[in-house]
Amino acid sequence: MAIHTEQSAGAKIKDKQGGSWLYTDVVKDHFFNPRNILKHGEEETYSADGMGRVGSPACGDEMVLWLKIDKDEERITECKWQTFGCGSAIASTSMLSVMVSENGGMKIADALKIKPQDIMERLGGLPNRKIHCSVLGDKALHAAVNSWFRSVGYHDRIQVSGKKVIDAALNITDHDIEEAVLEGAMTLEDVQKKLKVGVASPEAIPEIEGLIRFYSDKYYGESAI
């Protein structure tokens, strides 16, 4: 699957704390001119083959993705969406919809290989605090494809991301730690402030630290830790 980058200059936008977040012109373009968006009210009549809805506690965003799929070719022919959230979430979903539908549409097998990093690459990058927005798009796409798999009876192809309990005392899972890292918790101390994980189960700390390193590398690169 070929992924190409759209390079651009950027603009700085101040956050609530007065810090600068760098948004590329591509991000701004997809925010102000979103592609393939399904207008409010059209979801009642739009005929889709698969639909995925996901939400993130990281910033309160919610994404809904609709796919039209050619069953014989297993190719996405159309992708529509609605996103309720920040500008990065809107831009990420808009770009994702372009990626899966451009050039005649992407094969399902290739679409499922799209990673959050691929979306960010096409956008020219996102601020670290907004990386979770591209992750949300990736999850919405998988949910929509799974919906189609169910509708056509391909139950053996449904991809389910399982959760592993890391701290039995608090029922904290690896997904909880992943979300904490996406919200900016980069150290054990940071994660414990959010989740209290490992406080009552100190034997879990080595695994917790390993997961923090894994997710930090995955979403931010090795230089982040």
Side-chain angles (χ1 to χ4, degrees), residues 8-13 19-25 27 88 124-128:
S8 67
K12 289 185 177 180
I13 300 175
S20 294
W21 290 351
L22 184 65
Y23 287 94
T24 68
D25 287 341
V27 172
S88 294
L126 286 173
N128 282 350

Side-chain angles (χ1 to χ4, degrees), residues 191-203:
V191 172
Q192 286 184 325
K193 284 180 180 178
K194 287 180 175 292
L195 303 175
K196 308 301 182 186
V197 63
V199 175
S201 304
E203 69 279 0

Side-chain angles (χ1 to χ4, degrees), residues 11-178:
K12 289 185 177 180
I13 300 175
K14 296 291 185 179
D15 64 15
K16 292 180 180 179
Q17 287 72 41
S20 294
W21 290 351
L22 184 65
Y23 287 94
T24 68
D25 287 341
V26 178
V27 172
K28 291 190 296 177
D29 180 36
H30 278 267
F31 171 63
F32 289 112
N33 305 287
R35 280 65 153 178
N36 303 311
I37 193 169
L38 194 68
K39 295 180 180 178
H40 180 67
E42 292 182 345
E43 63 271 21
E44 301 297 329
T45 57
Y46 185 74
S47 178
D49 298 305
M51 187 272 281
R53 182 190 301 270
V54 296
S56 170
C59 65
D61 296 329
E62 182 182 45
M63 292 183 183
V64 188
L65 205 69
W66 292 269
L67 300 177
K68 287 190 176 182
I69 299 170
D70 183 312
K71 183 179 179 181
D72 293 333
E73 294 190 6
E74 293 202 359
R75 185 182 300 277
I76 296 171
T77 58
E78 192 169 88
C79 177
K80 296 288 187 179
W81 58 275
Q82 291 178 350
T83 291
F84 308 93
C86 64
S88 294
I90 292 170
S92 294
T93 320
S94 175
M95 178 57 80
L96 175 62
S97 74
V98 170
M99 292 169 67
V100 300
S101 61
E102 65 187 352
N103 301 321
M106 188 175 283
K107 290 274 193 177
I108 289 294
D110 290 330
L112 290 175
K113 295 176 184 176
I114 292 177
K115 302 299 181 187
Q117 292 90 333
D118 299 325
I119 301 171
M120 289 188 290
E121 184 180 346
R122 286 287 296 267
L123 288 170
L126 286 173
N128 282 350
R129 292 188 183 185
K130 294 298 181 180
I131 288 177
H132 63 267
C133 296
S134 61
V135 175
L136 206 58
D138 172 68
K139 290 180 178 179
L141 175 62
H142 279 74
V145 172
N146 279 342
S147 171
W148 179 69
F149 283 155
R150 291 188 186 94
S151 71
V152 295
Y154 296 162
H155 299 288
D156 59 323
R157 296 175 63 184
I158 294 173
Q159 298 184 4
V160 179
S161 180
K163 296 181 181 180
K164 178 183 178 183
V165 175
I166 304 300
D167 186 333
L170 297 177
N171 198 31
I172 300 294
T173 71
D174 52 347
H175 285 200
D176 295 320
I177 295 173
E178 180 182 15

